[in-house]
Amino acid sequence: MAASTSRSPISPLPSTIRNPKPIPRCSSTLKSVYRCCRISLHACDGTKSSHQKARAVELQKLGREDAKDLPSTLPRPLTSAQLSNLGSESPRLRVAYQGVRGAYSESAAEKAYRNCEAVPCDQFDTAFEAVESWLVDRAVLPIENSLGGSIHRNYDLLLRHRLHIVGEVKLAIRHCLLANPGIKVEDLKRVLSHPQALAQCENTLTKLGLVREAVDDTAGAAKHVAMQKLKDAGAVASLTAAKIYGLDVLAQDIQDDSDNVTRFLMLAREPIIPGTNKPFKTSIVFSLEEGPGMLFKALAVFAMRNINLTKIESRPLQKHALQAPDENSIGFPKYFPYLFYVDFEASMAEEKAQNALGHLSEFATFLRVLGSYPADSGLP
């Protein structure tokens, strides 16, 4: 096993982001479909008035001496503090992703929306806020990986924000070991990357005897190694990141399992109208009263209608942990209320999906449709 991880700073680079065009109001057809399930949806944002027009971003130039050798066109990640009322409309679809240029999320955004303008954001929260603030049109964010499991932060943000899932995209993740030109594997003492990327390359990195250091994203690690001209450190990142930041590829496909796929969600301010002309998937979140068989009862509404569940994730309902102690407990709550996130293979345009959610709403204490969208059934 390698030594414990620590964080290394990642510095952003400059860019300017312009204002997107507004999109139409939510369809009344879709609203009626969701109403039939007796599920309360958030009101649609609608078209902004002139004094509420979409905000844009004007980013300041970064006068860093250590960035002079990198391409000046690399965008600086958007932060929550950089919102302004300046900017003009752009004809291209603007898609937010978390990370910097060369991130796997950027590749996912470009796969989901061809010829889009991919907009880097420093945090997942920022990407959600950028869509809600009309700075960008869409966001493409990871939700689960076939090796590392669920991205819990984004499950929590789905509930906290008023965005809708409008699609999904799967991306094969192929990790590379990168280093500055002239550096060999035997020169390395440590390696930087996102915690999940480090975990996905556990066997390889252990054999090499490298100390692992966790940073915010894979491409950010590559950028940091290049900017600081590190000689004793490498990065686990994509082949694209190597090309962008001028790093050598010491090894390719170093992940422990070749079947390494990340599923990304495509998010928008407005839901799409679900159809039946192609395979659809629907994502929901609900909570239940505590009691024997309640979760079984909830899942049975899908089984009795022959609806296949592809994902179930439970998350504690934050700030609502019950404080009534059990007679056998010592100061701990009897139980914590949970939220259950479920994906199932059916469109909200289908009667069986409407009936299932109508049935579930009869005993669920909370129920929300996060989106009904085309399933990505192609190769990652």
Side-chain angles (χ1 to χ4, degrees):
M1 296 297 291
S4 60
T5 61
S6 61
R7 286 193 172 269
S8 297
I10 298 295
S11 302
L13 292 177
S15 176
T16 299
I17 301 170
R18 304 174 188 272
N19 219 22
K21 291 183 179 180
I23 57 178
R25 287 181 175 271
C26 182
S27 164
S28 58
T29 304
L30 179 59
K31 290 180 181 178
S32 63
V33 169
Y34 280 38
R35 282 198 199 100
C36 74
C37 300
R38 290 171 289 183
I39 299 169
S40 176
L41 294 177
H42 289 295
C44 295
D45 291 336
T47 303
K48 302 288 185 181
S49 61
S50 58
H51 68 281
Q52 295 176 313
K53 66 180 182 178
R55 294 178 290 177
V57 182
E58 185 170 350
L59 305 181
Q60 299 177 350
K61 296 289 183 180
L62 180 66
R64 290 182 55 94
E65 183 67 21
D66 56 4
K68 64 181 181 181
D69 295 331
L70 295 179
S72 59
T73 56
L74 294 181
R76 180 181 182 181
L78 175 67
T79 67
S80 298
Q82 291 170 321
L83 307 181
S84 75
N85 291 318
L86 301 177
S88 60
E89 294 183 354
S90 170
R92 296 174 64 191
L93 192 72
R94 324 258 310 276
V95 182
Y97 68 92
Q98 188 275 328
V100 298
R101 284 290 316 281
Y104 293 107
S105 291
E106 182 185 30
S107 299
E110 293 172 345
K111 181 180 179 181
Y113 297 102
R114 302 291 183 185
N115 198 35
C116 70
E117 179 185 347
V119 179
C121 297
D122 67 336
Q123 301 292 335
F124 292 131
D125 310 56
T126 311
F128 276 86
E129 293 167 7
V131 181
E132 288 184 325
S133 302
W134 293 68
L135 300 174
V136 297
D137 304 290
R138 301 285 190 275
V140 173
L141 299 172
I143 196 66
E144 60 179 329
N145 175 266
S146 58
L147 300 182
S150 299
I151 314 297
H152 294 138
R153 178 61 180 165
N154 283 338
Y155 274 105
D156 295 337
L157 291 172
L158 281 172
L159 187 64
R160 184 177 303 174
H161 293 271
R162 297 172 59 179
L163 300 184
H164 303 269
I165 304 173
V166 295
E168 65 174 0
V169 61
K170 296 175 183 176
L171 186 72
I173 306 300
R174 302 180 63 185
H175 292 307
C176 300
L177 179 61
L178 312 179
N180 279 300
I183 304 299
K184 299 179 180 179
V185 173
E186 50 266 30
D187 299 325
L188 300 180
K189 296 180 180 178
R190 55 199 177 101
V191 62
L192 286 64
S193 196
H194 187 276
Q196 282 216 1
L198 295 174
Q200 291 163 15
C201 304
E202 173 97 18
N203 293 337
T204 300
L205 299 179
T206 299
K207 289 178 182 178
L208 294 175
L210 298 176
V211 175
R212 281 156 279 187
E213 297 184 9
V215 295
D216 288 338
D217 60 89
T218 55
K223 186 175 99 173
H224 182 68
V225 168
M227 290 175 64
Q228 300 298 325
K229 297 180 172 56
L230 300 179
K231 296 182 179 180
D232 67 335
V236 172
S238 66
L239 189 60
T240 301
K243 295 176 181 177
I244 292 175
Y245 301 111
L247 298 176
D248 284 351
V249 179
L250 303 184
Q252 295 189 48
D253 293 326
I254 64 172
Q255 62 273 4
D256 296 341
D257 193 328
S258 58
D259 185 19
N260 185 15
V261 177
T262 296
R263 174 175 168 246
F264 294 79
L265 297 181
M266 301 151 65
L267 304 174
R269 289 181 291 274
E270 307 283 352
I272 62 172
I273 299 176
T276 57
N277 59 328
K278 62 178 70 174
F280 262 70
K281 184 181 289 185
T282 299
S283 297
I284 64 172
V285 56
F286 62 90
S287 60
L288 301 166
E289 292 285 355
E290 178 71 6
M294 289 301 295
L295 182 57
F296 171 81
K297 183 178 178 181
L299 300 182
V301 306
F302 302 101
M304 66 177 60
R305 293 171 176 88
N306 200 32
I307 297 176
N308 184 44
L309 303 184
T310 60
K311 173 76 173 179
I312 179 168
E313 181 80 23
S314 62
R315 297 288 295 150
L317 185 57
Q318 298 179 7
K319 297 182 180 179
H320 289 83
L322 301 185
Q323 298 302 317
D326 185 272
E327 60 181 6
N328 296 320
S329 67
I330 305 177
F332 290 98
K334 182 176 180 180
Y335 66 88
F336 292 88
Y338 279 86
L339 291 168
F340 298 96
Y341 293 82
V342 168
D343 296 339
F344 60 87
E345 292 179 330
S347 168
M348 283 297 295
E350 297 180 70
E351 185 177 1
K352 65 178 182 180
Q354 299 170 16
N355 291 338
L357 296 194
H359 189 177
L360 179 59
S361 67
E362 293 177 2
F363 52 88
T365 56
F366 168 78
L367 176 58
R368 175 179 165 189
V369 174
L370 298 171
S372 189
Y373 48 91
D376 183 3
S377 54
L379 295 176

